[in-house]
Amino acid sequence: MGRIGIMAALHDEISSLLEAMGPDASRTRIGRRDYYTGAIHGREVVVVLARVGKVAAAATAVTLIREFDVRTVVFAGLAGAVSDQVAVGDVVVATSLLQHDLDASPLFPCYEVPLLDRSRFDTDPSTSQALSRCAQEYLTGILPRHVPAGTLAAFGVALPRVHRGVIISGDRFVGCGLAVRKLRDELPDALCVEMEGAAVAQVCYEYDVPCAVFRTISDRADDGASISFSDFLSRVARYYSAGILERFLTAQA
Ligand code: ADE
């Protein structure tokens, strides 16, 4: 069994995971990023902070695949809700991803990646299934022990749920009611929006490497999004990502 590559855009999303690797993790610096190789709960991993946006995510995914020979790539992070069915504190596990800001029309259909003949990139079903299970177990059993009830209540998190479906990505933080309504109208099956996942899914498709993306909802991508996002990032994000990933890695060991 090969290594699993684990990516996130921001430090708070993987800080607990880096701690779990302990002092034996070895650091390799490539392209101004640090790749930490080691084990978590007996599973070989490479953990890296990709930074924000599609270019950063794609470059990091290529390095994980080419330099570290990872067997699977998993991206963990936050997202803004697009669907009315998705609430702050819920987890979305992608079944497929699309770049909502890619438009080479009229030469190619809107959203299609030119010369690849597709706009949506599927995730690996068994990895995504395993992550959904771990997310469900985390939300029902562990989250209430990790995060103080007052903090969860402050974000309106009561009975968080796991969703599976389409995640959309673009090089833009969506923080305006008009913009999120436009996305909802144009892409009615989109569950949430973030800034990296579809780029990772495209790279993994091109290299034939299974990938999975899961996101915790930090905001509603509306006018209050930047405040909700920053608050959620500093007070809650680390618990979700590490809690779900540690369960996932234990199950994979
Ligand atoms: N990541 C978390 N919230 C987001 C938003 N509203 N837009 C883009 N990326 C996000």
Side-chain angles (χ1 to χ4, degrees):
M1 281 224 266
R3 293 165 174 160
I4 297 178
I6 296 175
M7 308 171 62
L10 296 165
H11 183 70
D12 298 79
E13 294 165 334
I14 48 164
S15 53
S16 305
L17 217 53
L18 290 173
E19 279 165 29
M21 291 180 83
D24 293 340
S26 88
R27 183 171 67 96
T28 310
R29 195 159 176 80
I30 300 174
R32 300 183 185 232
R33 285 179 187 81
D34 291 322
Y35 294 79
Y36 292 90
T37 309
I40 298 175
H41 301 308
R43 194 74 187 75
E44 271 188 70
V45 292
V46 186
V47 179
V48 56
L49 181 65
R51 301 201 295 269
V52 177
K54 293 189 294 175
V55 172
T60 310
V62 171
T63 305
L64 279 175
I65 293 166
R66 300 278 304 172
E67 302 286 333
F68 294 93
D69 202 21
V70 297
R71 185 199 60 155
T72 306
V73 175
V74 176
F75 198 110
L78 301 180
V82 173
S83 163
D84 284 338
Q85 305 302 310
V86 174
V88 170
D90 286 0
V91 173
V92 177
V93 181
T95 51
S96 69
L97 298 103
L98 165 149
Q99 298 179 47
H100 68 77
D101 58 351
L102 180 52
D103 183 2
S105 61
L107 304 177
F108 296 89
C110 186
Y111 311 122
E112 184 170 302
V113 179
L115 310 181
L116 269 189
D117 274 351
R118 59 177 62 228
S119 54
R120 292 169 187 244
F121 294 88
D122 293 341
T123 53
D124 180 57
S126 68
T127 310
S128 303
Q129 179 76 48
L131 279 168
S132 304
R133 217 174 23 245
C134 295
Q136 189 63 60
E137 287 166 9
Y138 180 75
L139 290 183
T140 43
I142 301 164
L143 179 68
R145 284 189 269 131
H146 270 179
V147 183
T151 306
L152 292 175
F155 289 100
V157 180
L159 291 170
R161 298 195 295 149
V162 179
H163 309 261
R164 297 190 67 187
V166 179
I167 293 183
I168 57 175
S169 314
D171 282 319
R172 178 177 359 129
F173 183 84
V174 182
C176 142
L178 202 64
V180 72
R181 274 197 298 279
K182 190 162 178 283
L183 286 175
R184 200 177 300 144
D185 289 347
E186 288 172 357
L187 294 162
D189 61 348
L191 294 181
C192 64
V193 61
E194 37 86 313
M195 299 179 69
E196 297 84 18
V200 174
Q202 180 181 330
V203 166
C204 287
Y205 169 78
E206 291 174 349
Y207 282 91
D208 237 342
V209 171
C211 88
V213 176
F214 74 94
R215 296 281 182 169
T216 306
I217 303 303
S218 56
D219 60 90
R220 298 221 52 85
D222 56 8
D223 301 317
S226 59
I227 294 172
S228 178
F229 171 83
S230 309
D231 239 19
F232 198 92
L233 180 66
S234 60
R235 295 169 69 189
V236 188
R238 75 187 63 210
Y239 299 107
Y240 269 81
S241 299
I244 294 167
L245 282 168
E246 286 191 30
R247 287 191 88 77
F248 170 74
L249 293 169
T250 306
Q252 302 285 307

mmCIF file of all heavy atoms in Angstrom, residues 13-61:
data_model
loop_
_atom_site.group_PDB
_atom_site.id
_atom_site.type_symbol
_atom_site.label_atom_id
_atom_site.label_comp_id
_atom_site.label_asym_id
_atom_site.label_seq_id
_atom_site.Cartn_x
_atom_site.Cartn_y
_atom_site.Cartn_z
ATOM 1 N N GLU A 13 -6.067 24.252 9.176
ATOM 2 C CA GLU A 13 -6.791 23.064 8.725
ATOM 3 C C GLU A 13 -5.976 21.777 8.893
ATOM 4 O O GLU A 13 -6.540 20.690 8.852
ATOM 5 C CB GLU A 13 -7.208 23.242 7.258
ATOM 6 C CG GLU A 13 -8.237 24.359 7.095
ATOM 7 C CD GLU A 13 -8.416 24.819 5.648
ATOM 8 O OE1 GLU A 13 -7.482 24.673 4.843
ATOM 9 O OE2 GLU A 13 -9.486 25.334 5.344
ATOM 10 N N ILE A 14 -4.650 21.902 9.033
ATOM 11 C CA ILE A 14 -3.852 20.676 9.213
ATOM 12 C C ILE A 14 -2.892 20.719 10.409
ATOM 13 O O ILE A 14 -2.097 19.807 10.585
ATOM 14 C CB ILE A 14 -3.028 20.293 7.956
ATOM 15 C CG1 ILE A 14 -2.268 21.487 7.420
ATOM 16 C CG2 ILE A 14 -3.856 19.600 6.913
ATOM 17 C CD1 ILE A 14 -1.174 21.088 6.460
ATOM 18 N N SER A 15 -2.995 21.787 11.220
ATOM 19 C CA SER A 15 -2.030 21.925 12.312
ATOM 20 C C SER A 15 -2.066 20.719 13.266
ATOM 21 O O SER A 15 -1.012 20.201 13.667
ATOM 22 C CB SER A 15 -2.271 23.232 13.079
ATOM 23 O OG SER A 15 -3.608 23.295 13.483
ATOM 24 N N SER A 16 -3.266 20.241 13.594
ATOM 25 C CA SER A 16 -3.353 19.110 14.532
ATOM 26 C C SER A 16 -2.784 17.838 13.911
ATOM 27 O O SER A 16 -2.213 16.992 14.600
ATOM 28 C CB SER A 16 -4.799 18.838 14.936
ATOM 29 O OG SER A 16 -5.373 19.991 15.447
ATOM 30 N N LEU A 17 -2.939 17.728 12.596
ATOM 31 C CA LEU A 17 -2.430 16.544 11.900
ATOM 32 C C LEU A 17 -0.898 16.540 11.923
ATOM 33 O O LEU A 17 -0.266 15.494 12.123
ATOM 34 C CB LEU A 17 -2.920 16.587 10.454
ATOM 35 C CG LEU A 17 -3.307 15.299 9.806
ATOM 36 C CD1 LEU A 17 -4.311 14.540 10.633
ATOM 37 C CD2 LEU A 17 -3.860 15.562 8.424
ATOM 38 N N LEU A 18 -0.309 17.705 11.731
ATOM 39 C CA LEU A 18 1.155 17.799 11.775
ATOM 40 C C LEU A 18 1.651 17.441 13.182
ATOM 41 O O LEU A 18 2.667 16.760 13.328
ATOM 42 C CB LEU A 18 1.626 19.194 11.371
ATOM 43 C CG LEU A 18 1.433 19.536 9.886
ATOM 44 C CD1 LEU A 18 1.763 20.995 9.604
ATOM 45 C CD2 LEU A 18 2.302 18.631 9.007
ATOM 46 N N GLU A 19 0.902 17.874 14.198
ATOM 47 C CA GLU A 19 1.268 17.503 15.575
ATOM 48 C C GLU A 19 1.196 15.993 15.750
ATOM 49 O O GLU A 19 2.060 15.384 16.382
ATOM 50 C CB GLU A 19 0.337 18.180 16.583
ATOM 51 C CG GLU A 19 0.713 19.617 16.872
ATOM 52 C CD GLU A 19 -0.411 20.372 17.584
ATOM 53 O OE1 GLU A 19 -1.188 19.728 18.314
ATOM 54 O OE2 GLU A 19 -0.494 21.596 17.371
ATOM 55 N N ALA A 20 0.165 15.372 15.165
ATOM 56 C CA ALA A 20 -0.015 13.915 15.309
ATOM 57 C C ALA A 20 1.125 13.132 14.651
ATOM 58 O O ALA A 20 1.398 11.989 15.020
ATOM 59 C CB ALA A 20 -1.359 13.485 14.702
ATOM 60 N N MET A 21 1.811 13.749 13.688
ATOM 61 C CA MET A 21 2.934 13.045 13.035
ATOM 62 C C MET A 21 4.154 12.977 13.942
ATOM 63 O O MET A 21 5.029 12.129 13.742
ATOM 64 C CB MET A 21 3.322 13.760 11.733
ATOM 65 C CG MET A 21 2.270 13.631 10.653
ATOM 66 S SD MET A 21 2.739 14.477 9.133
ATOM 67 C CE MET A 21 3.775 13.218 8.384
ATOM 68 N N GLY A 22 4.214 13.900 14.904
ATOM 69 C CA GLY A 22 5.301 13.871 15.881
ATOM 70 C C GLY A 22 6.625 14.307 15.292
ATOM 71 O O GLY A 22 6.725 14.677 14.121
ATOM 72 N N PRO A 23 7.683 14.219 16.127
ATOM 73 C CA PRO A 23 8.989 14.754 15.718
ATOM 74 C C PRO A 23 9.705 13.897 14.670
ATOM 75 O O PRO A 23 10.699 14.340 14.096
ATOM 76 C CB PRO A 23 9.791 14.781 17.035
ATOM 77 C CG PRO A 23 9.106 13.786 17.904
ATOM 78 C CD PRO A 23 7.683 13.688 17.478
ATOM 79 N N ASP A 24 9.209 12.671 14.423
ATOM 80 C CA ASP A 24 9.890 11.801 13.457
ATOM 81 C C ASP A 24 9.577 12.136 11.999
ATOM 82 O O ASP A 24 10.215 11.601 11.085
ATOM 83 C CB ASP A 24 9.509 10.329 13.699
ATOM 84 C CG ASP A 24 10.053 9.854 15.033
ATOM 85 O OD1 ASP A 24 10.996 10.504 15.538
ATOM 86 O OD2 ASP A 24 9.511 8.870 15.565
ATOM 87 N N ALA A 25 8.609 13.004 11.781
ATOM 88 C CA ALA A 25 8.248 13.360 10.401
ATOM 89 C C ALA A 25 9.434 14.043 9.726
ATOM 90 O O ALA A 25 10.119 14.850 10.345
ATOM 91 C CB ALA A 25 7.045 14.296 10.410
ATOM 92 N N SER A 26 9.664 13.687 8.466
ATOM 93 C CA SER A 26 10.793 14.342 7.785
ATOM 94 C C SER A 26 10.248 15.400 6.816
ATOM 95 O O SER A 26 9.208 15.209 6.179
ATOM 96 C CB SER A 26 11.670 13.315 7.076
ATOM 97 O OG SER A 26 11.198 13.075 5.795
ATOM 98 N N ARG A 27 10.957 16.533 6.752
ATOM 99 C CA ARG A 27 10.479 17.684 5.985
ATOM 100 C C ARG A 27 11.280 17.831 4.696
ATOM 101 O O ARG A 27 12.511 17.807 4.728
ATOM 102 C CB ARG A 27 10.641 18.948 6.846
ATOM 103 C CG ARG A 27 10.117 20.206 6.194
ATOM 104 C CD ARG A 27 10.113 21.338 7.195
ATOM 105 N NE ARG A 27 11.470 21.725 7.593
ATOM 106 C CZ ARG A 27 12.153 22.724 7.048
ATOM 107 N NH1 ARG A 27 11.608 23.469 6.096
ATOM 108 N NH2 ARG A 27 13.370 23.013 7.463
ATOM 109 N N THR A 28 10.588 17.964 3.583
ATOM 110 C CA THR A 28 11.259 18.204 2.295
ATOM 111 C C THR A 28 10.684 19.485 1.717
ATOM 112 O O THR A 28 9.457 19.612 1.606
ATOM 113 C CB THR A 28 10.956 17.055 1.297
ATOM 114 O OG1 THR A 28 11.204 15.807 1.933
ATOM 115 C CG2 THR A 28 11.813 17.172 0.046
ATOM 116 N N ARG A 29 11.565 20.423 1.365
ATOM 117 C CA ARG A 29 11.066 21.696 0.828
ATOM 118 C C ARG A 29 11.169 21.694 -0.697
ATOM 119 O O ARG A 29 12.248 21.541 -1.256
ATOM 120 C CB ARG A 29 11.866 22.853 1.430
ATOM 121 C CG ARG A 29 11.216 24.192 1.217
ATOM 122 C CD ARG A 29 11.693 25.233 2.213
ATOM 123 N NE ARG A 29 11.103 26.535 1.911
ATOM 124 C CZ ARG A 29 9.867 26.901 2.244
ATOM 125 N NH1 ARG A 29 9.090 26.066 2.901
ATOM 126 N NH2 ARG A 29 9.419 28.100 1.928
ATOM 127 N N ILE A 30 10.009 21.837 -1.364
ATOM 128 C CA ILE A 30 9.973 21.885 -2.831
ATOM 129 C C ILE A 30 8.994 22.996 -3.243
ATOM 130 O O ILE A 30 7.861 23.029 -2.756
ATOM 131 C CB ILE A 30 9.478 20.541 -3.442
ATOM 132 C CG1 ILE A 30 10.395 19.379 -3.039
ATOM 133 C CG2 ILE A 30 9.397 20.636 -4.971
ATOM 134 C CD1 ILE A 30 9.892 18.006 -3.473
ATOM 135 N N GLY A 31 9.441 23.889 -4.127
ATOM 136 C CA GLY A 31 8.539 24.937 -4.630
ATOM 137 C C GLY A 31 7.964 25.799 -3.531
ATOM 138 O O GLY A 31 6.776 26.137 -3.562
ATOM 139 N N ARG A 32 8.797 26.126 -2.536
ATOM 140 C CA ARG A 32 8.391 26.988 -1.397
ATOM 141 C C ARG A 32 7.304 26.370 -0.526
ATOM 142 O O ARG A 32 6.521 27.065 0.115
ATOM 143 C CB ARG A 32 7.936 28.369 -1.884
ATOM 144 C CG ARG A 32 9.019 29.104 -2.635
ATOM 145 C CD ARG A 32 8.561 30.478 -3.031
ATOM 146 N NE ARG A 32 9.594 31.110 -3.843
ATOM 147 C CZ ARG A 32 10.112 32.310 -3.612
ATOM 148 N NH1 ARG A 32 9.692 33.027 -2.608
ATOM 149 N NH2 ARG A 32 11.038 32.797 -4.388
ATOM 150 N N ARG A 33 7.213 25.039 -0.568
ATOM 151 C CA ARG A 33 6.280 24.348 0.331
ATOM 152 C C ARG A 33 7.020 23.267 1.092
ATOM 153 O O ARG A 33 7.977 22.685 0.573
ATOM 154 C CB ARG A 33 5.168 23.660 -0.465
ATOM 155 C CG ARG A 33 4.153 24.576 -0.991
ATOM 156 C CD ARG A 33 3.092 23.860 -1.791
ATOM 157 N NE ARG A 33 2.258 24.879 -2.397
ATOM 158 C CZ ARG A 33 2.576 25.539 -3.493
ATOM 159 N NH1 ARG A 33 3.675 25.249 -4.152
ATOM 160 N NH2 ARG A 33 1.779 26.489 -3.955
ATOM 161 N N ASP A 34 6.533 22.970 2.305
ATOM 162 C CA ASP A 34 7.123 21.894 3.102
ATOM 163 C C ASP A 34 6.225 20.670 3.032
ATOM 164 O O ASP A 34 5.030 20.744 3.356
ATOM 165 C CB ASP A 34 7.257 22.338 4.566
ATOM 166 C CG ASP A 34 8.303 23.423 4.709
ATOM 167 O OD1 ASP A 34 9.331 23.357 4.011
ATOM 168 O OD2 ASP A 34 8.087 24.354 5.515
ATOM 169 N N TYR A 35 6.811 19.556 2.608
ATOM 170 C CA TYR A 35 6.098 18.274 2.550
ATOM 171 C C TYR A 35 6.578 17.446 3.736
ATOM 172 O O TYR A 35 7.777 17.176 3.852
ATOM 173 C CB TYR A 35 6.395 17.561 1.229
ATOM 174 C CG TYR A 35 5.846 18.300 0.035
ATOM 175 C CD1 TYR A 35 6.507 19.417 -0.484
ATOM 176 C CD2 TYR A 35 4.655 17.901 -0.568
ATOM 177 C CE1 TYR A 35 5.990 20.112 -1.575
ATOM 178 C CE2 TYR A 35 4.137 18.588 -1.655
ATOM 179 C CZ TYR A 35 4.800 19.690 -2.155
ATOM 180 O OH TYR A 35 4.289 20.378 -3.223
ATOM 181 N N TYR A 36 5.666 17.041 4.613
ATOM 182 C CA TYR A 36 6.026 16.264 5.805
ATOM 183 C C TYR A 36 5.691 14.792 5.560
ATOM 184 O O TYR A 36 4.526 14.439 5.365
ATOM 185 C CB TYR A 36 5.279 16.786 7.028
ATOM 186 C CG TYR A 36 5.727 18.169 7.428
ATOM 187 C CD1 TYR A 36 5.105 19.303 6.912
ATOM 188 C CD2 TYR A 36 6.809 18.341 8.296
ATOM 189 C CE1 TYR A 36 5.524 20.572 7.259
ATOM 190 C CE2 TYR A 36 7.239 19.613 8.651
ATOM 191 C CZ TYR A 36 6.594 20.714 8.126
ATOM 192 O OH TYR A 36 7.031 21.979 8.466
ATOM 193 N N THR A 37 6.728 13.970 5.572
ATOM 194 C CA THR A 37 6.542 12.540 5.336
ATOM 195 C C THR A 37 6.671 11.807 6.659
ATOM 196 O O THR A 37 7.601 12.068 7.430
ATOM 197 C CB THR A 37 7.645 12.038 4.370
ATOM 198 O OG1 THR A 37 7.659 12.900 3.239
ATOM 199 C CG2 THR A 37 7.382 10.620 3.909
ATOM 200 N N GLY A 38 5.755 10.884 6.919
ATOM 201 C CA GLY A 38 5.809 10.124 8.176
ATOM 202 C C GLY A 38 4.596 9.227 8.281
ATOM 203 O O GLY A 38 4.031 8.813 7.270
ATOM 204 N N ALA A 39 4.197 8.945 9.515
ATOM 205 C CA ALA A 39 3.047 8.059 9.720
ATOM 206 C C ALA A 39 2.088 8.671 10.736
ATOM 207 O O ALA A 39 2.503 9.386 11.654
ATOM 208 C CB ALA A 39 3.516 6.691 10.200
ATOM 209 N N ILE A 40 0.813 8.407 10.525
ATOM 210 C CA ILE A 40 -0.218 8.782 11.504
ATOM 211 C C ILE A 40 -1.053 7.526 11.731
ATOM 212 O O ILE A 40 -1.618 6.965 10.774
ATOM 213 C CB ILE A 40 -1.111 9.931 10.983
ATOM 214 C CG1 ILE A 40 -0.270 11.195 10.750
ATOM 215 C CG2 ILE A 40 -2.236 10.223 11.976
ATOM 216 C CD1 ILE A 40 -1.033 12.350 10.126
ATOM 217 N N HIS A 41 -1.118 7.091 12.990
ATOM 218 C CA HIS A 41 -1.825 5.848 13.339
ATOM 219 C C HIS A 41 -1.408 4.696 12.423
ATOM 220 O O HIS A 41 -2.256 3.941 11.920
ATOM 221 C CB HIS A 41 -3.344 6.054 13.272
ATOM 222 C CG HIS A 41 -3.822 7.124 14.193
ATOM 223 N ND1 HIS A 41 -3.514 7.146 15.526
ATOM 224 C CD2 HIS A 41 -4.554 8.231 13.960
ATOM 225 C CE1 HIS A 41 -4.054 8.209 16.081
ATOM 226 N NE2 HIS A 41 -4.681 8.891 15.156
ATOM 227 N N GLY A 42 -0.119 4.594 12.129
ATOM 228 C CA GLY A 42 0.395 3.450 11.373
ATOM 229 C C GLY A 42 0.245 3.566 9.866
ATOM 230 O O GLY A 42 0.639 2.669 9.123
ATOM 231 N N ARG A 43 -0.336 4.671 9.387
ATOM 232 C CA ARG A 43 -0.530 4.827 7.939
ATOM 233 C C ARG A 43 0.499 5.815 7.400
ATOM 234 O O ARG A 43 0.687 6.892 7.951
ATOM 235 C CB ARG A 43 -1.948 5.384 7.711
ATOM 236 C CG ARG A 43 -2.393 5.286 6.303
ATOM 237 C CD ARG A 43 -2.707 3.826 6.024
ATOM 238 N NE ARG A 43 -3.004 3.599 4.625
ATOM 239 C CZ ARG A 43 -2.099 3.568 3.648
ATOM 240 N NH1 ARG A 43 -0.824 3.763 3.892
ATOM 241 N NH2 ARG A 43 -2.466 3.337 2.419
ATOM 242 N N GLU A 44 1.183 5.425 6.321
ATOM 243 C CA GLU A 44 2.189 6.325 5.726
ATOM 244 C C GLU A 44 1.510 7.492 5.025
ATOM 245 O O GLU A 44 0.618 7.284 4.190
ATOM 246 C CB GLU A 44 3.009 5.568 4.686
ATOM 247 C CG GLU A 44 4.227 4.886 5.251
ATOM 248 C CD GLU A 44 5.070 4.345 4.105
ATOM 249 O OE1 GLU A 44 5.660 5.154 3.368
ATOM 250 O OE2 GLU A 44 5.085 3.121 3.949
ATOM 251 N N VAL A 45 1.949 8.710 5.354
ATOM 252 C CA VAL A 45 1.309 9.904 4.775
ATOM 253 C C VAL A 45 2.355 10.940 4.357
ATOM 254 O O VAL A 45 3.488 10.944 4.861
ATOM 255 C CB VAL A 45 0.337 10.582 5.776
ATOM 256 C CG1 VAL A 45 -0.868 9.715 6.053
ATOM 257 C CG2 VAL A 45 1.053 10.942 7.071
ATOM 258 N N VAL A 46 1.949 11.809 3.449
ATOM 259 C CA VAL A 46 2.701 13.032 3.165
ATOM 260 C C VAL A 46 1.715 14.178 3.358
ATOM 261 O O VAL A 46 0.678 14.220 2.681
ATOM 262 C CB VAL A 46 3.232 13.069 1.712
ATOM 263 C CG1 VAL A 46 4.136 14.284 1.519
ATOM 264 C CG2 VAL A 46 3.965 11.798 1.371
ATOM 265 N N VAL A 47 2.004 15.056 4.304
ATOM 266 C CA VAL A 47 1.075 16.147 4.614
ATOM 267 C C VAL A 47 1.689 17.458 4.137
ATOM 268 O O VAL A 47 2.868 17.730 4.381
ATOM 269 C CB VAL A 47 0.803 16.219 6.137
ATOM 270 C CG1 VAL A 47 -0.146 17.370 6.467
ATOM 271 C CG2 VAL A 47 0.216 14.898 6.636
ATOM 272 N N VAL A 48 0.892 18.278 3.457
ATOM 273 C CA VAL A 48 1.442 19.524 2.912
ATOM 274 C C VAL A 48 0.402 20.642 2.951
ATOM 275 O O VAL A 48 -0.780 20.418 2.733
ATOM 276 C CB VAL A 48 1.958 19.308 1.467
ATOM 277 C CG1 VAL A 48 0.888 18.752 0.548
ATOM 278 C CG2 VAL A 48 2.542 20.593 0.877
ATOM 279 N N LEU A 49 0.901 21.825 3.227
ATOM 280 C CA LEU A 49 0.087 23.034 3.165
ATOM 281 C C LEU A 49 0.192 23.558 1.731
ATOM 282 O O LEU A 49 1.247 24.048 1.317
ATOM 283 C CB LEU A 49 0.645 24.051 4.158
ATOM 284 C CG LEU A 49 -0.087 25.364 4.265
ATOM 285 C CD1 LEU A 49 -1.484 25.133 4.809
ATOM 286 C CD2 LEU A 49 0.683 26.300 5.175
ATOM 287 N N ALA A 50 -0.909 23.434 0.974
ATOM 288 C CA ALA A 50 -0.867 23.786 -0.460
ATOM 289 C C ALA A 50 -0.886 25.290 -0.682
ATOM 290 O O ALA A 50 -0.399 25.775 -1.683
ATOM 291 C CB ALA A 50 -2.052 23.150 -1.172
ATOM 292 N N ARG A 51 -1.444 26.017 0.264
ATOM 293 C CA ARG A 51 -1.800 27.432 0.145
ATOM 294 C C ARG A 51 -3.072 27.585 -0.698
ATOM 295 O O ARG A 51 -3.636 26.599 -1.151
ATOM 296 C CB ARG A 51 -0.653 28.283 -0.365
ATOM 297 C CG ARG A 51 0.571 28.226 0.530
ATOM 298 C CD ARG A 51 1.461 29.426 0.285
ATOM 299 N NE ARG A 51 2.014 29.445 -1.042
ATOM 300 C CZ ARG A 51 3.191 28.892 -1.371
ATOM 301 N NH1 ARG A 51 3.931 28.326 -0.429
ATOM 302 N NH2 ARG A 51 3.622 28.954 -2.602
ATOM 303 N N VAL A 52 -3.476 28.850 -0.892
ATOM 304 C CA VAL A 52 -4.838 29.096 -1.400
ATOM 305 C C VAL A 52 -4.886 29.251 -2.927
ATOM 306 O O VAL A 52 -4.002 29.862 -3.513
ATOM 307 C CB VAL A 52 -5.399 30.372 -0.727
ATOM 308 C CG1 VAL A 52 -6.781 30.714 -1.264
ATOM 309 C CG2 VAL A 52 -5.441 30.192 0.781
ATOM 310 N N GLY A 53 -5.917 28.693 -3.537
ATOM 311 C CA GLY A 53 -6.166 28.911 -4.958
ATOM 312 C C GLY A 53 -5.837 27.704 -5.816
ATOM 313 O O GLY A 53 -5.166 26.763 -5.391
ATOM 314 N N LYS A 54 -6.334 27.748 -7.066
ATOM 315 C CA LYS A 54 -6.232 26.578 -7.938
ATOM 316 C C LYS A 54 -4.806 26.312 -8.422
ATOM 317 O O LYS A 54 -4.409 25.154 -8.546
ATOM 318 C CB LYS A 54 -7.182 26.746 -9.131
ATOM 319 C CG LYS A 54 -8.662 26.703 -8.708
ATOM 320 C CD LYS A 54 -9.590 26.639 -9.913
ATOM 321 C CE LYS A 54 -9.502 27.921 -10.700
ATOM 322 N NZ LYS A 54 -10.285 27.896 -11.930
ATOM 323 N N VAL A 55 -4.047 27.369 -8.689
ATOM 324 C CA VAL A 55 -2.667 27.152 -9.157
ATOM 325 C C VAL A 55 -1.843 26.504 -8.047
ATOM 326 O O VAL A 55 -1.121 25.517 -8.272
ATOM 327 C CB VAL A 55 -2.014 28.490 -9.594
ATOM 328 C CG1 VAL A 55 -0.537 28.294 -9.895
ATOM 329 C CG2 VAL A 55 -2.733 29.054 -10.799
ATOM 330 N N ALA A 56 -1.977 27.035 -6.836
ATOM 331 C CA ALA A 56 -1.229 26.475 -5.694
ATOM 332 C C ALA A 56 -1.606 25.010 -5.478
ATOM 333 O O ALA A 56 -0.739 24.154 -5.246
ATOM 334 C CB ALA A 56 -1.525 27.294 -4.440
ATOM 335 N N ALA A 57 -2.902 24.729 -5.578
ATOM 336 C CA ALA A 57 -3.371 23.359 -5.336
ATOM 337 C C ALA A 57 -2.872 22.408 -6.419
ATOM 338 O O ALA A 57 -2.427 21.288 -6.133
ATOM 339 C CB ALA A 57 -4.903 23.349 -5.282
ATOM 340 N N ALA A 58 -2.929 22.861 -7.686
ATOM 341 C CA ALA A 58 -2.500 21.993 -8.787
ATOM 342 C C ALA A 58 -1.004 21.705 -8.690
ATOM 343 O O ALA A 58 -0.569 20.555 -8.848
ATOM 344 C CB ALA A 58 -2.841 22.649 -10.123
ATOM 345 N N ALA A 59 -0.223 22.737 -8.414
ATOM 346 C CA ALA A 59 1.237 22.556 -8.322
ATOM 347 C C ALA A 59 1.573 21.565 -7.207
ATOM 348 O O ALA A 59 2.443 20.692 -7.357
ATOM 349 C CB ALA A 59 1.915 23.898 -8.067
ATOM 350 N N THR A 60 0.875 21.695 -6.094
ATOM 351 C CA THR A 60 1.142 20.815 -4.948
ATOM 352 C C THR A 60 0.726 19.378 -5.254
ATOM 353 O O THR A 60 1.436 18.426 -4.905
ATOM 354 C CB THR A 60 0.386 21.328 -3.701
ATOM 355 O OG1 THR A 60 0.663 22.712 -3.550
ATOM 356 C CG2 THR A 60 0.805 20.583 -2.457
ATOM 357 N N ALA A 61 -0.401 19.221 -5.929
ATOM 358 C CA ALA A 61 -0.872 17.863 -6.267
ATOM 359 C C ALA A 61 0.128 17.176 -7.199
ATOM 360 O O ALA A 61 0.428 15.983 -7.022
ATOM 361 C CB ALA A 61 -2.254 17.937 -6.913
#
